[in-house]
Amino acid sequence: MEIDVQQMIFEFIGGLGIFLFGLKYLADGLQRTAGDRLREILDRFTSNPFMGVLAGLFVTVLVQSSTTTTVLTVGLVNAGFMTFRQAIGVIMGANIGTTVTAFIIGIDISSYGLPIIAVGSFLLFFFKNKKVTNIGQTVFGLGALFFGLDVMSGGMKPLRSLEAFQELTLSMSDNPILGVTIGTLFTVIVQSSSATIGVLQQLFGEGLMDLQAALPVLFGDNIGTTITAVLAAIGASVGAKRAAAAHVIFNVIGAGVFLILLAPFYAFVDWLRVTLDLNPEMTIAFAHGSFNIANTIVQFPFIALLAWVVMKIVPGNDSEIEYKPQHLDPIFIEQSPSLALDQAKEEVIRMGEYAYKGLEETSLYLNNKQPKHSELAMQIEEALNNLDRKITDYLVDLSQAQLSDEDSHKHTALMDSVRDIERIGDHFENIIELIDYKNSNKVLLTEQAVEDLNEMFDLTLMTVKQATKSLESMDREEALSVVQKENELDRMERSFRKKHIIRMNEGLCTGQAGIVFVDMISNLERIGDHAVNIAEEVLGEKESL
């Protein structure tokens, strides 16, 4: 029988492409359906490493992507919501959760891929409800996953009569290291451990590979999947680098241990196959699941040691931004309202310092276009939102207590200042979105416009810094200086708008660039307004005493 090599290759790569698309579409649909609850689950249920394992498993099963779980976990470590030791537990759980894809593939419904796609399309295109379309996307992705497997399987069938392939599988049975290498390389190329397992299930299902050869490929797949995390961690935060390092060490140790124990593990998987009467695809799924569960059980007691090793390899602080309040102790509300007010003020000052830092990062992003600045600024904006909620709740509780007239004025000033600082965060977020728009659409600002923006940024930064300082020291002179600077910002905005119109009339500036420039200086002027509101709280406070 002559093999049509072109058709075989096209069916394999086409099927793989459809499978990968289906997997991504399925994961995106699940993530949209779950929404912000994923982050909440990871935040609330990771009180210790064991709970971390369960939370990581649950979230990964929900989104069908261990990478998504790891990214969310890194975000929580960066924010100070989770310790690195808890994060290792989540990563271990994510490793187990990702095996669910193999079990889904093991259910023999690949011939129903097209009707499942039809149901998904119907839900996507004939309903306007967001929830229904998200479910439609999930169903469509699942159908595409099965259809891709079916196409891929068709492309693999002729391999059985190819002598070179038979020799390769025989070599893999005799030499497990070769299997590990092939599994690692294939996973690195397609950037998906589920795809490698899917291909392995099809090869084993078609009788093109025996179990002895398939198991090392499975171990290699677990090493290859860590490359995605390593690539994502290049140039990322300390938390991301540590998560990637923990992932690599955990999976490499696991693969090494199970290579040594290959004979008993093979016997165990074969026993499972016979006892449970498993089809070939499900046999691989059970092997994958057993490997990851056993790996977690073996390494779980050594989480503290793994954390210590990783911290030595990647030194630095876990969290760059502390999202949680540091000074708000509820006990003071009843014991000493005056002291509670001082605690709240400490937190508001910290919030003001964050607002300054966020604005500074925005200015750096405008000038050097490095994404790390926008990422840090957006993290700060999230921290400001969180602190706004926590401080406001604390101050609301405090308002129930008996406050002196002086403390009552101070309480009002802090309530208003929190709102103003949070709004500063919203405005620098607007500026970041404008810079993103400018960069992605290749909108060019004139040299004069960039110069004007930097001049206004510098003055706005000084104004915000001084407003926070005036609130901290309740200094009237500082507050009056803020009012003067804000008046200067107003004049600057009017002057820069006029200069911009002249540039437009002279044809030096495009309409798109004009919109971006005017919106940026408008946002900076509004930041100045909020800074002066804080200063006026200080001036009003002084006058009322």
Side-chain angles (χ1 to χ4, degrees):
M1 185 187 90
E2 197 170 311
I3 296 171
D4 186 341
V5 177
Q6 183 180 313
Q7 189 186 347
M8 188 176 83
I9 292 169
F10 282 9
E11 281 187 3
F12 177 74
I13 60 171
L16 181 63
I18 296 167
F19 175 87
L20 289 170
F21 169 76
L23 191 64
K24 173 145 180 34
Y25 216 57
L26 171 71
D28 288 350
L30 286 166
Q31 212 173 326
R32 283 182 186 161
T33 308
D36 293 336
R37 280 172 294 177
L38 300 174
R39 189 174 172 136
E40 215 174 287
I41 291 164
L42 287 174
D43 185 20
R44 282 180 58 194
F45 300 107
T46 50
S47 48
N48 58 58
F50 179 68
M51 288 301 289
V53 171
L54 296 181
L57 193 160
F58 182 66
V59 170
T60 309
V61 167
L62 275 184
V63 296
Q64 287 296 294
S65 166
S66 58
T67 308
T68 301
T69 309
T70 308
V71 167
L72 285 170
T73 307
V74 167
L76 289 166
V77 172
N78 282 347
F81 282 116
M82 192 189 286
T83 66
F84 178 61
R85 278 179 65 175
Q86 289 165 340
I88 292 176
V90 176
I91 290 164
M92 287 178 170
N95 254 26
I96 299 170
T98 197
T99 64
V100 169
T101 314
F103 283 99
I104 293 170
I105 294 167
I107 303 163
D108 192 18
I109 54 169
S110 58
S111 51
Y112 296 102
L114 287 172
I116 297 171
I117 288 173
V119 172
S121 302
F122 179 75
L123 294 174
L124 267 173
F125 293 106
F126 292 99
F127 291 89
K128 292 284 176 273
N129 185 302
K130 256 287 174 41
K131 274 187 180 172
V132 177
T133 54
N134 286 340
I135 292 166
Q137 180 174 344
T138 307
V139 173
F140 184 95
L142 187 66
L145 185 142
F146 282 122
F147 178 60
L149 276 172
D150 210 31
V151 174
M152 205 157 51
S153 175
M156 288 180 196
K157 275 177 184 157
L159 285 174
R160 70 175 73 237
S161 52
L162 213 66
E163 206 173 307
F165 186 79
Q166 286 174 347
E167 282 172 17
L168 177 66
T169 53
L170 280 171
S171 306
M172 283 160 69
S173 297
D174 298 335
N175 182 3
I177 302 292
L178 179 63
V180 172
T181 309
I182 289 170
T184 304
L185 288 175
F186 189 76
T187 308
V188 168
I189 292 163
V190 297
Q191 293 279 293
S192 166
S193 61
S194 298
T196 312
I197 298 295
V199 171
L200 194 62
Q201 284 173 298
Q202 298 308 307
L203 286 169
F204 188 58
E206 293 292 338
L208 297 166
M209 188 181 282
D210 63 10
L211 194 57
Q212 193 87 28
L215 292 178
V217 177
L218 192 140
F219 304 153
D221 152 76
N222 263 43
I223 297 171
T225 192
T226 62
I227 303 299
T228 315
V230 170
L231 293 174
I234 294 168
S237 63
V238 170
K241 284 176 181 161
R242 281 184 179 163
H247 203 185
V248 171
I249 293 168
F250 174 67
N251 283 18
V252 169
I253 288 173
V257 167
F258 276 84
L259 262 180
I260 295 163
L261 302 172
L262 184 59
F265 185 62
Y266 168 80
F268 170 72
V269 174
D270 205 41
W271 174 80
L272 276 179
R273 182 179 63 80
V274 174
T275 311
L276 301 174
D277 192 24
L278 302 174
N279 67 26
E281 288 84 359
M282 202 55 100
T283 305
I284 296 294
F286 268 86
H288 193 208
S290 306
F291 165 65
N292 278 296
I293 292 167
N295 191 18
T296 300
I297 292 168
V298 168
Q299 294 196 52
F300 185 79
F302 304 104
I303 279 184
L305 178 64
L306 180 57
W308 181 81
V309 169
V310 169
M311 282 172 174
K312 290 291 175 198
I313 296 168
V314 186
N317 291 326
D318 267 354
S319 69
E320 294 175 21
I321 309 264
E322 193 65 60
Y323 281 48
K324 287 182 177 176
Q326 294 176 335
H327 307 96
L328 305 182
D329 194 334
I331 201 163
F332 290 124
I333 293 175
E334 286 177 24
Q335 303 275 329
S336 170
S338 182
L339 198 54
L341 209 53
D342 287 340
Q343 295 268 297
K345 185 182 168 183
E346 287 281 322
E347 212 55 64
V348 175
I349 299 306
R350 198 165 74 88
M351 208 177 155
E353 286 164 356
Y354 269 171
Y356 174 81
K357 175 76 176 153
L359 189 58
E360 191 177 43
E361 291 297 323
T362 307
S363 173
L364 288 167
Y365 184 46
L366 171 70
N367 287 296
N368 63 24
K369 298 179 184 175
Q370 286 183 5
K372 66 177 181 183
H373 296 302
S374 75
E375 283 163 17
L376 188 52
M378 293 307 279
Q379 278 182 20
I380 290 170
E381 209 283 317
E382 271 190 58
L384 290 175
N385 289 342
N386 189 58
L387 289 171
D388 169 39
R389 285 193 296 274
K390 295 283 191 278
I391 297 168
T392 303
D393 289 347
Y394 189 78
L395 288 170
V396 167
D397 291 343
L398 186 55
S399 65
Q400 314 299 316
Q402 290 292 317
L403 295 171
S404 65
D405 283 351
E406 182 186 330
D407 281 349
S408 196
H409 285 303
K410 199 171 172 184
H411 180 274
T412 308
L414 288 177
M415 279 288 267
D416 292 338
S417 298
V418 166
R419 196 167 55 247
D420 280 307
I421 295 168
E422 193 277 327
R423 291 293 295 137
I424 289 172
D426 292 342
H427 285 298
F428 70 64
E429 182 184 13
N430 292 346
I431 296 171
I432 283 171
E433 284 169 4
L434 287 164
I435 299 169
D436 283 338
Y437 173 83
K438 176 182 88 69
N439 293 345
S440 58
N441 290 285
K442 298 192 169 46
V443 175
L444 294 173
L445 296 176
T446 61
E447 267 183 52
Q448 184 59 54
V450 173
E451 208 175 290
D452 290 350
L453 270 173
N454 283 327
E455 191 183 338
M456 197 162 176
F457 252 116
D458 290 344
L459 186 57
T460 309
L461 279 162
M462 283 164 66
T463 311
V464 171
K465 193 172 197 173
Q466 206 158 15
T468 307
K469 204 172 166 190
S470 71
L471 183 67
E472 185 176 16
S473 56
M474 282 298 180
D475 188 326
R476 190 180 175 81
E477 293 302 314
E478 292 275 13
L480 287 168
S481 177
V482 171
V483 175
Q484 284 175 344
K485 284 188 171 68
E486 205 281 324
N487 289 335
E488 178 58 30
L489 275 172
D490 286 347
R491 279 197 297 275
M492 212 180 247
E493 194 217 7
R494 287 194 295 273
S495 159
F496 289 168
R497 273 179 188 268
K498 282 176 188 167
K499 283 165 74 177
H500 157 68
I501 290 164
I502 292 165
R503 284 197 299 273
M504 287 272 283
N505 291 339
E506 289 175 355
L508 299 172
C509 176
T510 64
Q512 262 186 321
I515 293 165
V516 169
F517 176 77
V518 168
D519 278 359
M520 278 190 196
I521 60 169
S522 173
N523 274 288
L524 288 170
E525 191 273 327
R526 293 299 304 280
I527 290 172
D529 289 344
H530 290 295
V532 93
N533 288 348
I534 297 166
E536 281 170 356
E537 292 295 345
V538 175
L539 295 170
E541 171 77 12
K542 285 286 183 188
E543 283 158 17
S544 64
L545 295 181

